[in-house]
């Protein structure tokens, strides 16, 4: 856990701009959203969210006046700010999201924010009213195939070619669901679905999808001599590659833990070296939404198994920035506080070898006992003896005094195991005495 080595990251397709340039483009796409989010962060009032409401002057009108934008631009920018994680709503109060704090200094935060917006393109550009929701859902599900074709083409693709692919994919989705159309559908039903034969109604829905993707900066739509064509932007090309990489990672789980719960997955990784373990974490995470995965990992971390607690935070290191808010919220929980503080220190740039400096003496001692509990439960006695060398206290008597003071629930078991494992009879006797004193509530 203390000798992590980073696996070389897969390289994006040739011709992809550097991350700094991609982040610059993402900042341009979200420029108005950032301005509105920062305005709302300064307001910090119960009505700071720019929306219509009662009263002589709404927050939307105040934002429009302050930022020299139209009300429509404010509404659109506010929606983008929420979808990109720049603001968080707690009841009626708008608060700045973690990405807003890191916006100017962290290119990764910017790109993650834009990818969140890219994933939500159908919300940024809603479908027209009156369109059957099932038809919209089919197109949304089929769009990744369209984006893959655009990426493989490495250039403009005519809209009719995209329409052919969309129609094929929609038909495949219906066959997978075993949908058999009823004989002789009524004209009204055909008009409602707009896609009875797999192609009717799809041109309008394809236009909607392409316009939505263009609205978030993923592609451009142009009119050429042969007709309209779509081309992925550098941001869009990079995002499609990222999604494909996630799918590949999810398909490559050597230990087969993708379908396991977080607890079972971590138990399966307990005997792996850091590199293969991180590969398992990545595969497991890629198969889930990050919010649910982070919550599941933290639930395991709150359990009684100290080994799984440490491994859960190792997996959260693979998650990175999207886990920051939930990890920060655990700082107030005594059992998770040392792990959370170390995670946050490394996330903010501290070297893993120096991150221990953020812990107080008591927190370091608590973590020492928790790690000793993991070793006692799952390791060998020699490891527990060597674990003595990692204590911040210079002497065993000082360590025992401070262990008794921190009140870790596993203190007695750890001391008993240490006394049984240590080859020095005098030291083992002192440790057993300390275990008895803790057990009986003595000083």
């Amino acid at each position: 856990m203390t000798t992590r080595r980073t696996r070389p990251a897969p390289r994006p397709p040739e011709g992809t701009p550097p991350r700094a340039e991609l982040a610059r483009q993402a900042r341009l796409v979200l420029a108005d959203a950032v301005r509105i989010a920062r305005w709302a962060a300064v307001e910090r009032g119960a009505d700071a969210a720019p929306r219509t409401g009662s009263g002589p002057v709404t927050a939307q009108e105040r934002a429009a006046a302050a930022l020299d934008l139209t009300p429509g631009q404010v509404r659109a920018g506010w929606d983008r700010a929420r979808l990109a994680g720049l603001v968080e709503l707690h009841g009626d109060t708008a608060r700045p999201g973690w990405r807003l704090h890191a916006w100017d200094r962290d290119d990764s935060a910017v790109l993650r924010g834009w990818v969140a917006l890219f994933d939500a393109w159908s919300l940024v550009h809603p479908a027209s009213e009156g369109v059957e929701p099932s038809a919209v859902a089919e197109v949304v599900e089929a769009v990744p195939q369209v984006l893959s074709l655009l990426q493989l083409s490495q250039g403009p693709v005519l809209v009719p070619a995209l329409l052919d692919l969309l129609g094929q994919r929609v038909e495949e989705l219906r066959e997978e669901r075993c949908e058999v159309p009823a004989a002789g559908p009524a004209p009204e039903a055909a008009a409602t679905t707009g896609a009875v034969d797999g192609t009717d109604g799809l041109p309008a829905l394809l236009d909607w999808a392409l316009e939505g993707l263009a609205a978030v900066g993923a592609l451009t739509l142009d009119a050429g001599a042969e007709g309209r064509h779509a081309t992925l932007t550098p941001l869009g090309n990079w995002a499609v590659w990222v999604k494909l990489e996630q799918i590949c990672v999810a398909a490559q789980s050597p230990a087969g833990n993708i379908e396991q719960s977080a607890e079972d997955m971590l138990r399966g990784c307990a005997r792996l070296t850091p590199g293969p373990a991180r590969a398992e974490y990545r595969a497991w995470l890629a198969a889930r939404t990050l919010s649910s995965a982070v919550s599941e990992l933290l639930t395991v971390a709150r359990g009684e198994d100290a080994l799984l607690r440490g491994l859960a935070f190792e997996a959260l290191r693979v998650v990175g920035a999207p886990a920051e808010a939930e990890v920060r919220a655990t700082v107030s929980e005594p059992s998770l506080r040392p792990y959370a503080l170390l995670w946050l220190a490394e996330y903010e740039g501290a070297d893993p070898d120096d991150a221990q400096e953020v812990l107080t003496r008591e927190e370091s001692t608590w973590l020492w006992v928790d790690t000793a509990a993991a070793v006692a439960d799952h390791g060998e006695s020699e490891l527990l003896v060597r674990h003595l060398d990692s204590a911040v206290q210079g002497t065993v008597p000082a360590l025992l005094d401070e262990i008794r003071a921190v009140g870790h629930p596993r203190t007695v078991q750890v001391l008993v195991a240490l006394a049984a494992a240590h080859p020095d009879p005098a030291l083992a006797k002192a440790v057993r005495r300390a275990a008895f004193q803790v057990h009986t509530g003595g000083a």
Side-chain angles (χ1 to χ4, degrees):
M1 291 169 60
T2 59
T3 57
R4 292 188 308 276
R5 292 171 294 179
T6 55
R7 187 185 70 173
R11 298 186 177 217
E14 186 176 352
T16 302
R19 287 177 69 84
E21 172 58 21
L22 290 171
R24 186 192 69 79
Q25 295 177 18
R27 286 184 174 99
L28 288 176
V29 172
L30 284 161
D32 283 350
V34 171
R35 291 180 64 204
I36 293 168
R38 285 177 171 157
W39 176 86
V42 171
E43 289 287 308
R44 293 292 186 99
D47 61 345
R51 60 189 186 282
T52 57
S54 58
V57 180
T58 65
Q60 177 181 295
E61 292 168 339
R62 297 203 314 274
L67 302 174
D68 195 23
L69 299 172
T70 66
Q73 289 173 321
V74 170
R75 283 194 301 273
W78 179 251
D79 287 341
R80 289 175 176 231
R82 288 190 299 109
L83 293 171
L86 297 170
V87 292
E88 299 172 357
L89 291 182
H90 299 266
D92 289 331
T93 303
R95 295 178 185 170
W98 66 267
R99 287 189 180 125
L100 186 63
H101 293 302
W103 196 254
D104 292 330
R105 60 178 172 80
D106 190 341
D107 289 346
S108 293
V110 173
L111 291 173
R112 285 179 184 275
W114 182 83
V115 168
L117 184 72
F118 168 72
D119 288 339
W121 65 266
S122 59
L123 301 178
V124 173
H125 184 66
S128 302
E129 294 184 6
V131 179
E132 183 69 20
S134 61
V136 172
E138 287 174 342
V139 170
V140 171
E141 192 172 354
V143 157
Q145 204 90 355
V146 174
L147 292 170
S148 296
L149 174 62
L150 286 168
Q151 194 209 32
L152 289 172
S153 301
Q154 297 183 346
V157 179
L158 291 172
V159 170
L162 298 176
L163 181 60
D164 288 342
L165 177 63
L166 181 66
Q168 293 172 20
R169 182 57 183 148
V170 167
E171 289 299 323
E172 290 173 359
L173 292 171
R174 291 176 179 173
E175 289 176 6
E176 291 171 4
R177 292 195 299 267
C178 299
E179 288 188 1
V180 180
E188 293 81 7
T192 301
T193 60
V196 171
D197 65 357
T199 56
D200 290 349
L202 284 184
L205 284 171
L206 176 62
D207 286 343
W208 162 71
L210 295 177
E211 289 165 3
L213 291 164
V216 298
L219 56 78
T220 58
L221 279 169
D222 301 289
E226 300 179 4
R228 281 201 316 155
H229 57 261
T231 310
L232 285 179
T233 63
L235 268 177
N237 190 63
W238 170 80
V240 174
W241 170 78
V242 167
K243 298 297 180 183
L244 291 174
E245 279 296 313
Q246 289 176 346
I247 294 171
C248 291
V249 167
Q252 297 171 1
S253 171
N257 288 302
I258 287 180
E259 296 181 359
Q260 303 295 324
S261 66
E263 180 174 347
D264 290 339
M265 181 273 294
L266 293 172
R267 290 191 189 281
C269 294
R271 295 287 181 181
L272 299 178
T273 56
R278 279 195 301 276
E280 285 298 297
Y281 302 151
R282 290 191 183 98
W284 187 84
L285 291 164
R288 288 159 179 76
T289 60
L290 283 179
S291 58
S292 64
V294 170
S295 297
E296 195 173 345
L297 288 169
L298 288 174
T299 298
V300 175
R302 293 184 178 97
E304 296 182 358
D305 195 319
L307 176 64
L308 297 187
R309 187 160 28 253
L311 292 177
F313 275 87
E314 286 297 300
L316 289 168
R317 284 181 173 87
V318 174
V319 177
E324 184 201 4
E326 292 195 60
V327 171
R328 198 176 292 279
T330 66
V331 169
S332 59
E333 302 179 39
S335 64
L336 302 187
R337 179 177 174 82
Y339 294 95
L341 291 175
L342 291 176
W343 190 98
L344 291 167
E346 292 182 34
Y347 169 72
E348 291 168 358
D351 187 279
D353 294 332
D354 300 329
Q356 292 276 348
E357 296 176 2
V358 304
L359 303 181
T360 64
R361 180 84 163 221
E362 292 76 12
E363 290 161 354
S364 294
T365 303
W366 197 100
L367 183 61
W368 186 94
V369 178
D370 206 49
T371 306
V375 175
D377 290 342
H378 301 279
E380 300 175 355
S381 56
E382 293 82 359
L383 290 177
L384 189 57
V385 173
R386 289 205 298 269
H387 185 54
L388 273 175
D389 296 334
S390 66
V392 296
Q393 293 78 7
T395 65
V396 171
L399 171 63
L400 296 176
D401 287 342
E402 295 187 28
I403 284 177
R404 288 195 291 260
V406 297
H408 192 288
R410 295 291 305 279
T411 298
V412 173
Q413 293 93 327
V414 165
L415 292 177
V416 169
L418 182 58
H422 207 283
D424 185 336
L427 188 145
K429 182 179 179 180
V431 173
R432 277 194 299 272
R433 184 185 301 114
F436 179 77
Q437 290 172 343
V438 174
H439 177 65
T440 58

